[in-house]
């Protein structure tokens, strides 16, 4: 299985990446995010994009995958409850 993970540096994305790295059924992982993860693995490839909403520049690289985990978000750390 080939997997794409958007937002692999956040809390949820890190967990998804860790599980995919440990799962023997996952043969290839592509992460796409504003920054790269610190992970290095033979089945991991990373693409860094400043605007992850604009994928036309990497369209040819994101075909043929079996699953996609969309883990992008904004951290609520330091926010007040009425700002959430």
């Amino acid at each position: 299985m080939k997997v794409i993970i958007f937002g692999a540096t956040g809390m949820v994305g890190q967990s998804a990446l860790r599980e995919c790295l440990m799962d023997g059924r996952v043969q290839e992982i592509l992460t796409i995010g504003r920054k790269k993860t610190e992970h290095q693995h033979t089945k991991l490839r990373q693409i860094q994009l400043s605007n992850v909403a604009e994928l036309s520049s990497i369209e040819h690289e994101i075909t043929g995958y079996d699953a996609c985990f969309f883990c992008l978000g904004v951290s609520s750390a330091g926010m007040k409850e009425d700002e959430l």
Side-chain angles (χ1 to χ4, degrees):
M1 177 181 347
K2 294 171 61 175
V3 175
I4 296 176
I5 303 174
F6 283 86
T9 59
M11 182 180 70
V12 174
Q14 284 180 34
S15 296
L17 176 58
R18 184 174 37 254
E19 291 299 317
C20 288
L21 288 170
M22 293 188 313
D23 193 321
R25 296 169 295 181
V26 178
Q27 301 161 340
E28 185 178 325
I29 305 161
L30 172 64
T31 64
I32 300 172
R34 290 182 298 270
K35 54 187 173 179
K36 293 183 177 183
T37 72
E38 296 179 4
H39 291 277
Q40 293 185 2
H41 197 280
T42 56
K43 60 182 178 180
L44 176 62
R45 188 167 66 94
Q46 303 188 65
I47 296 177
Q48 185 174 350
L49 286 177
S50 58
N51 182 0
V52 293
E54 176 51 55
L55 302 175
S56 61
S57 64
I58 62 166
E59 190 173 331
H60 63 283
E61 297 185 61
I62 58 175
T63 60
Y65 284 82
D66 303 300
C68 177
F69 296 98
F70 196 80
C71 305
L72 291 174
V74 177
S75 174
S76 60
M79 294 179 80
K80 298 177 184 168
E81 188 172 338
D82 61 340
E83 297 174 326
L84 297 175

